[in-house]
Amino acid sequence: MKLTRSPLAPERFPDLPDIDGVHAATFSLGMYKYQRDDLLIVHFPEIASCGGAFTRSLTRSCDVDWCREALETSGGKASALVVNAGNSNAFTFEKGVAKNEATLDAYEALTGMPRHECYIAATGVIGEPVSPDLIAQHLPTLWPTLQPGKPWLELAKAFSTTDTFPKGAGKQIEVAGRTISVAGIAKGSGMIAPNMATMLAYIFTDAPLTPEQCQQITSRHTNASFNCITVDGDTSTSDTVMLFATGAAPISQAASDEAFEQISDAIGEVFMDLAHQIVRDGEGASKFIGIEVTGAVNDNSAKTIACAVANSPLVKTALAASDANWGRIVMAVGKSLEPVNRDKLVIEIGGVRVAQGGGRAESYDEARAMAAVSGENIEITVDVAMGNGRAKVWTCDLTHGYVEINGAYRT
């Protein structure tokens, strides 16, 4: 089916900085009924440091299993990344492993590099095996076409599925008088619920980071961004976030170490930007919703409560209809089964207090509440009056468009 561009999409794909030490190419494997590229290959000629976060799903793809193994075996080193769209290679057992083995065999034969420095990912339909040589047969022809400065837009488009717009984000900072660049791309629109991680996202920097630093940054910022978004409460079998650092920036390791927090913060901004774009492209979405919970017994409890609200179909459909049905938020807070002080609970929507002291707020104004849920951006705050825990998550509304997209996903 033809997908309509999300009304929450940015006006255009951003201008992202080139990352020295990154060579790339895209290609069409023919996974779709119409002409498009559905494979991206990235090569790090001088070897990059890397870190990763992967889905905890018990039905995860063999690609995820491979990346976990490769990250540990290589000691956080990377020389290549191979990602296809159109088929997730999940729940395909020996046939899925055979596809990966053939790809890795071809990679080793072409480059002479250890296979554990090549990371593989796939996204698309679950449970449909593909030919083992789906990618391997094309690598000898594709490898010579890898080049620096490949447009990020082409890479972002190549691994999209039900995305209605390609997702990219970038940042540049000054460290020791030199420029450090960060660029990231992501895909995701449906089957989005955090259980580290969600969707596919790849972030690249020329900072001279060690593998340990890459993993520290990835874990830290995944928890604050990709692990705080949800579209439909469903965790994918292929969720992956990886950070690659080429070390090509003209600064010393010592200068990078000294500016570690500054570099980490810049990379974190890219993580957050990409995470928000995924929510803004939620299947059928028309509203971007932030939900902040304070006063919980701890941060984990606050996040559980926030996710209960964010994943409630009743809350999401009410907001889709611009209906300030705050009673549904009360319901969702309660169903979380986390400690809350029912009689001191405070709920605000867009700064409009709707609930307080165990009931409707005395200052409640229906017209103001309805106005607060009528725009594209909605902020909900919930104080459960139990402690100092706090968390914020982001979601979107639930419209007829979600049913239409997912009802026709394979057809």
Side-chain angles (χ1 to χ4, degrees):
M1 64 179 296
K2 182 176 177 57
L3 298 174
T4 303
R5 184 177 173 86
S6 169
L8 306 176
E11 291 186 5
R12 62 180 183 86
F13 191 82
D15 295 323
L16 304 184
D18 287 337
I19 305 296
D20 289 341
V22 174
H23 294 191
T26 62
F27 180 73
S28 176
L29 296 169
M31 302 297 285
Y32 289 85
K33 295 178 180 179
Y34 55 95
Q35 180 59 39
R36 56 157 286 184
D37 284 354
D38 47 29
L39 174 71
L40 70 88
I41 300 175
V42 177
H43 177 44
F44 308 102
E46 302 302 321
I47 311 300
S49 297
C50 63
F54 308 96
T55 183
R56 296 170 61 192
S57 169
L58 298 183
T59 54
R60 60 188 174 270
S61 71
C62 53
D63 298 58
V64 168
D65 286 339
W66 169 256
C67 286
R68 284 175 163 177
E69 177 185 334
L71 192 61
E72 181 176 353
T73 303
S74 71
K77 295 294 186 180
S79 58
L81 170 68
V82 179
V83 185
N84 74 269
N87 185 292
S88 72
N89 204 34
F91 210 66
T92 50
F93 200 33
E94 293 105 328
K95 293 182 178 179
V97 174
K99 187 273 281 184
N100 288 350
E101 288 297 313
T103 302
L104 293 166
D105 286 345
Y107 164 77
E108 279 190 315
L110 279 168
T111 67
M113 303 299 293
R115 63 175 51 212
H116 284 94
E117 292 181 1
C118 179
Y119 295 84
I120 299 175
T123 179
V125 176
I126 295 170
E128 294 187 7
V130 295
S131 169
D133 65 351
L134 173 71
I135 296 172
Q137 64 180 315
H138 300 292
L139 282 184
T141 302
L142 285 173
W143 204 258
T145 70
L146 294 166
Q147 57 184 316
K150 182 71 175 179
W152 295 109
L153 176 58
E154 292 182 28
L155 297 177
K157 286 181 176 180
F159 70 159
S160 65
T161 51
T162 58
D163 303 61
T164 70
F165 64 88
K167 300 165 183 67
K171 181 82 174 178
Q172 288 185 309
I173 58 173
E174 294 296 317
V175 173
R178 302 289 186 174
T179 299
I180 294 287
S181 298
V182 185
I185 54 175
K187 65 80 52 183
S189 182
M191 201 180 287
I192 302 295
N195 194 358
M196 169 41 260
T198 296
M199 64 326 98
L200 300 181
Y202 299 103
I203 295 86
F204 307 86
T205 180
D206 54 11
L209 299 173
T210 65
E212 294 76 16
Q213 289 172 331
C214 282
Q215 189 58 56
Q216 180 181 345
I217 290 172
T218 302
S219 298
R220 175 193 296 181
H221 293 301
T222 292
N223 285 334
S225 59
F226 296 114
N227 263 357
C228 289
I229 61 172
T230 176
V231 168
D232 49 21
D234 284 335
T235 297
S236 169
T237 57
S238 305
D239 297 341
T240 298
V241 169
M242 293 196 73
L243 169 66
F244 300 94
T246 67
I251 69 168
S252 67
Q253 184 67 57
S256 177
D257 290 346
E258 186 175 346
F260 176 75
E261 291 300 329
Q262 182 186 2
I263 295 171
S264 175
D265 288 347
I267 294 171
E269 287 185 35
V270 173
F271 272 56
M272 188 68 81
D273 192 336
L274 292 173
H276 283 189
Q277 287 186 53
I278 288 169
V279 174
R280 291 183 177 278
D281 199 18
E283 289 170 340
S286 66
K287 297 178 187 291
F288 180 76
I289 304 159
I291 301 166
E292 184 171 19
V293 173
T294 60
V297 292
N298 55 47
D299 291 349
N300 286 336
S301 179
K303 185 175 179 181
T304 299
I305 296 167
C307 287
V309 177
N311 285 322
S312 167
L314 290 176
V315 172
K316 292 158 75 75
T317 50
L319 295 177
S322 299
D323 180 6
N325 191 343
W326 54 269
R328 293 183 175 182
I329 301 174
V330 173
M331 171 278 299
V333 170
K335 78 169 184 177
S336 73
L337 301 183
E338 290 294 316
V340 301
N341 189 328
R342 180 192 61 190
D343 298 333
K344 291 186 177 180
L345 185 69
V346 176
I347 299 174
E348 294 186 352
I349 305 175
V352 178
R353 185 157 297 188
V354 296
Q356 183 177 20
R360 188 175 67 183
E362 291 185 5
S363 61
Y364 180 77
D365 184 306
E366 178 75 6
R368 290 183 63 214
M370 294 295 281
V373 297
S374 296
E376 290 185 346
N377 297 289
I378 300 171
E379 289 288 330
I380 296 171
T381 60
V382 180
D383 184 347
V384 298
M386 291 296 295
N388 297 316
R390 65 189 308 133
K392 186 168 185 178
V393 304
W394 293 269
T395 189
C396 58
D397 55 343
L398 181 61
T399 70
H400 293 290
Y402 182 86
V403 177
E404 292 170 358
I405 291 168
N406 284 285
Y409 185 70
R410 296 201 308 162
T411 57

